[in-house]
Amino acid sequence: EVQLVESGGGLVKPGGSLRLSCAASGFTFSSYSMNWVRQAPGKGLEWVSSISSSSSYIYYADSVKGRFTISRDNAKNSLYLQMNSLRAEDTAVYYCARRGGTGTNAFDIWGQGTMVTVSS
Amino acid sequence: EIVLTQSPDFQSVTPKEKVTITCRASQSIGSSLHWYQQKPDQSPKLLIKYASQSFSGVPSRFSGSGSGTDFTLTINSLEAEDAATYYCHQSSSLPQTFGQGTKVEIK
């Protein structure tokens, strides 16, 4: 079964750090670009960051640029998001999402999400 | 940044009725527009990619159309299980953006 499972969320104080992980299974992880998308409580979806299959191309939303770092370990079938200098407005459910195969930019597989709460 | 504006924000619909949701882009995005369904307390699921291509396993009552700046998601003969929030998403240019969502409620 194709699956993405996020972990690492929790409660953190403003200015703190957190590292999210996304474990992939059921497909050849190293062949796919991956993304992080977040959803603040009661709000819509916001794209956060993307990374190409070989980590050659990395992009960030302006709202997280300079504070968040996306990375991946293809040997471990894992995607990461290092979040530093966290703010209250970073509070959200964070989803990892697979970009469909070559020529497909839709997000065809999503994890169940992990909640990040930034509060003092 | 490309802004996607969905309408309506909310729709209350009777089962078997037809539902139409529109997504308008602030500039032309070709056909790089995708639709997702998100049920309460679940992650989003891909319905339609590239404006009109149905994703594997999606019921045939879901269809998409449009190109350029105007797109439509249609649900023919709404079923109770279709109660959800629907989002459009553009991958034409960075940053990728989503519409604000359209909540569909079953009467």
Side-chain angles (χ1 to χ4, degrees):
Chain A
E1 180 191 5
V2 175
Q3 197 173 10
L4 297 171
V5 179
E6 301 92 336
S7 60
L11 175 63
V12 61
K13 289 182 168 54
S17 298
L18 213 53
R19 188 194 196 206
L20 305 184
S21 299
C22 171
S25 59
F27 65 99
T28 305
F29 179 72
S30 60
S31 296
Y32 290 85
S33 294
M34 297 295 296
N35 295 265
W36 288 100
V37 177
R38 69 184 179 183
Q39 186 171 36
K43 302 297 184 181
L45 301 169
E46 180 189 14
W47 171 79
V48 172
S49 181
S50 64
I51 185 168
S52 62
S53 57
S54 60
S55 304
S56 298
Y57 300 97
I58 288 176
Y59 306 99
Y60 298 99
D62 284 346
S63 57
V64 306
K65 200 173 294 182
R67 300 188 298 122
F68 289 12
T69 302
I70 191 172
S71 63
R72 63 191 295 163
D73 186 334
N74 287 341
K76 294 183 177 180
N77 292 332
S78 293
L79 175 72
Y80 306 101
L81 186 67
Q82 177 67 43
M83 304 186 296
N84 299 330
S85 303
L86 283 162
R87 306 166 180 167
E89 54 266 35
D90 295 319
T91 294
V93 174
Y94 284 74
Y95 297 101
C96 62
R98 186 182 84 170
R99 198 195 83 172
T102 303
T104 301
N105 287 328
F107 300 159
D108 64 348
I109 303 295
W110 296 65
Q112 86 289 350
T114 187
M115 182 71 203
V116 172
T117 303
V118 184
S119 175
S120 54
Chain B
E1 172 177 319
I2 295 175
V3 176
L4 298 179
T5 303
Q6 293 182 229
S7 61
D9 290 331
F10 175 83
Q11 198 164 9
S12 184
V13 188
T14 304
K16 297 188 180 181
E17 202 173 329
K18 179 180 177 179
V19 173
T20 301
I21 299 169
T22 65
C23 178
R24 175 163 288 176
S26 58
Q27 61 190 77
S28 179
I29 57 172
S31 61
S32 297
L33 191 285
H34 321 292
W35 291 97
Y36 303 85
Q37 175 194 65
Q38 185 179 34
K39 296 181 180 180
D41 298 318
Q42 293 187 18
S43 56
K45 289 181 170 57
L46 178 64
L47 294 175
I48 304 289
K49 58 181 181 175
Y50 291 104
S52 62
Q53 300 175 22
S54 294
F55 184 57
S56 175
V58 173
S60 58
R61 63 183 180 275
F62 292 92
S63 63
S65 63
S67 66
T69 60
D70 294 305
F71 302 86
T72 300
L73 173 69
T74 300
I75 311 173
N76 282 303
S77 193
L78 187 81
E79 296 190 7
E81 65 184 32
D82 300 333
T85 300
Y86 295 84
Y87 294 93
C88 56
H89 158 226
Q90 68 82 18
S91 60
S92 175
S93 65
L94 293 173
Q96 299 189 55
T97 51
F98 291 86
Q100 81 277 15
T102 295
K103 185 173 183 178
V104 175
E105 174 193 88
I106 309 299
K107 282 182 183 175

